[in-house]
Amino acid sequence: MNAVNQHVLATDLGGTNIRVALVDQLGNISYRNSTETLSDRGIGDVINRWTDALKHVMDSVDTKAVIGLGVAFASPIDHQTGVVYNPPHLSNWDGFSPKSILEQNLSMDVTIGNDASLAVFGEYLYGAGRGFKNMVLLTIGTGIGGGIVMNGEVYVGHRGFAGEIGHIVIDKNGPLCDCGVRGCLQSMCSGTAISRIANEMLTSEKCTILRDDGCDNQLPVTAQMVVKAARAGDGFATTILDKVARNLGIGIAGLIQIFDPEIIIIGGGISSEFDLLHSGILKSVDMNIYPHLRGVVPVVKAERGDDAGMLGAAALMFRDKGIEIGT
Ligand SMILES: [Zn+2]
């Protein structure tokens, strides 16, 4: 293995935050910073602040050791041209190439990829996926995303759109999702879905601390409030999370049947509450899968959190430069 003497400047531009970091071949982060994206201020303003944040890192380190910039971007992306298409949280960036602009502004080589795919790559190389060649990651937060690693490579599909795990339909009579269909995983198991289910069910439920001052007595009820109530032993909140775990298990069972992975990894904001969902997910997987696959595939929590996208972006640059990536 190469000595650890090379670094990649890595960044993750999402709808909420711009993150920057300095990453070595082993996935160690020696510098990090973040600032709000504030996309409503316009592309020019975001690009300027993004460039400043990246230059600030370069001003603070030995730049000779930095081989390039790896970018994780929250959008479908043409990997060759770096052009982004219909970013869901950055609508006015459609058709734009952040790669070209950053190359000009920073005078360094830039690689760019979809944030979810790169988060899978990061978790595969430097997180809970270490040592496995076939895995599926679900990122569960406000929405549900994810990605697939097959035979050691991120599987992006024929057109590059594979891994939209949040939009697998599990109940055709379920709630309508932003994607235009009913009953997909995102519409039934995301943080947004937990909040919606709680508020719908609360109208007929009297006996829950979500109605009491103990849980702030605020409406609408958020996913965080449901989790807090479940941790306090509230039966109503626990019922909601059991239902979510059951539905997640149906989706995960389908993923196991299709991909036969060695491991399923759960990331995103909900992963910090993974212990509340874990046994419910496993039970539901076993109820919805071939008998010979029952109990075979571990479902575990992601390890690298919000850093996974930047780690994947850094790894992409190391690989493009032919530098061996350690684990
Ligand atoms: Zn959907």
Side-chain angles (χ1 to χ4, degrees):
M1 186 189 297
N2 298 353
V4 181
N5 53 8
Q6 317 246 37
H7 291 78
V8 168
L9 180 60
T11 185
D12 187 337
L13 190 127
T16 309
N17 289 306
I18 299 171
R19 295 191 175 85
V20 296
L22 198 66
V23 181
D24 72 19
Q25 292 128 283
L26 302 182
N28 298 311
I29 293 180
S30 53
Y31 175 97
R32 70 168 76 239
N33 211 341
S34 78
T35 181
E36 282 182 84
T37 307
L38 305 173
S39 61
D40 53 338
R41 293 191 185 174
I43 297 179
D45 182 85
V46 175
I47 292 276
N48 286 341
R49 285 182 297 108
W50 196 12
T51 303
D52 287 347
L54 291 163
K55 281 184 174 167
H56 183 72
V57 185
M58 295 302 281
D59 289 344
S60 334
V61 300
D62 173 13
T63 50
K64 287 195 295 297
V66 180
I67 61 161
L69 170 66
V71 182
F73 198 93
S75 171
I77 293 170
D78 182 319
H79 290 245
Q80 308 300 321
T81 62
V83 171
V84 304
Y85 293 100
N86 301 308
H89 307 293
L90 301 156
S91 54
N92 47 358
W93 291 59
D94 185 36
F96 216 63
S97 173
K99 173 179 156 72
S100 312
I101 291 166
L102 292 171
E103 274 168 348
Q104 274 171 28
N105 289 358
L106 295 157
S107 303
M108 64 198 305
D109 291 341
V110 177
T111 56
I112 188 167
N114 168 262
D115 60 344
S117 296
L118 290 176
V120 177
F121 199 39
E123 198 65 45
Y124 162 66
L125 289 168
Y126 300 122
R130 264 174 307 203
F132 301 103
K133 290 278 179 207
N134 299 282
M135 54 168 260
V136 180
L137 172 78
L138 285 84
T139 50
I140 308 174
T142 313
I144 296 184
I148 302 146
V149 172
M150 290 173 70
N151 299 319
E153 292 291 331
V154 177
Y155 179 73
V156 297
H158 177 58
R159 297 169 192 81
F161 302 142
E164 290 290 354
I165 290 163
H167 304 289
I168 301 169
V169 175
I170 57 168
D171 177 1
K172 68 183 174 56
N173 298 315
L176 187 63
C177 175
D178 290 344
C179 72
V181 302
R182 287 190 175 278
C184 63
L185 217 49
Q186 176 166 303
S187 73
M188 300 183 69
C189 303
S190 60
T192 311
I194 292 171
S195 164
R196 178 187 49 72
I197 296 164
N199 286 293
E200 283 171 6
M201 289 174 65
L202 201 59
T203 56
S204 58
E205 176 67 42
K206 299 278 182 286
C207 186
T208 167
I209 59 172
L210 288 167
R211 283 197 175 279
D212 299 341
D213 289 338
C215 218
D216 305 333
N217 201 24
Q218 290 169 355
L219 284 173
V221 171
T222 63
Q224 287 85 351
M225 289 161 70
V226 175
V227 164
K228 186 178 164 191
R231 289 209 181 280
D234 186 75
F236 172 73
T238 303
T239 303
I240 293 170
L241 294 183
D242 286 349
K243 187 174 170 170
V244 167
R246 207 160 46 240
N247 285 326
L248 274 173
I250 294 171
I252 290 171
L255 293 167
I256 293 172
Q257 300 273 43
I258 295 167
F259 295 108
D260 186 19
E262 296 161 88
I263 194 164
I264 298 278
I265 301 172
I266 308 288
I270 207 85
S271 63
S272 53
E273 318 301 342
F274 183 64
D275 59 307
L276 293 173
L277 302 168
H278 191 202
S279 67
I281 290 173
L282 292 180
K283 254 186 243 158
S284 173
V285 167
D286 282 357
M287 285 172 65
N288 293 285
I289 204 164
Y290 257 170
H292 62 274
L293 289 171
R294 285 177 194 153
V296 170
V297 183
V299 180
V300 306
K301 182 177 157 179
E303 291 177 1
R304 300 308 299 255
D306 290 339
D307 290 337
M310 291 193 294
L311 292 170
L316 200 63
M317 175 54 83
F318 281 125
R319 203 172 63 170
D320 281 4
K321 296 277 186 182
I323 294 170
E324 192 178 345
I325 304 163
T327 57

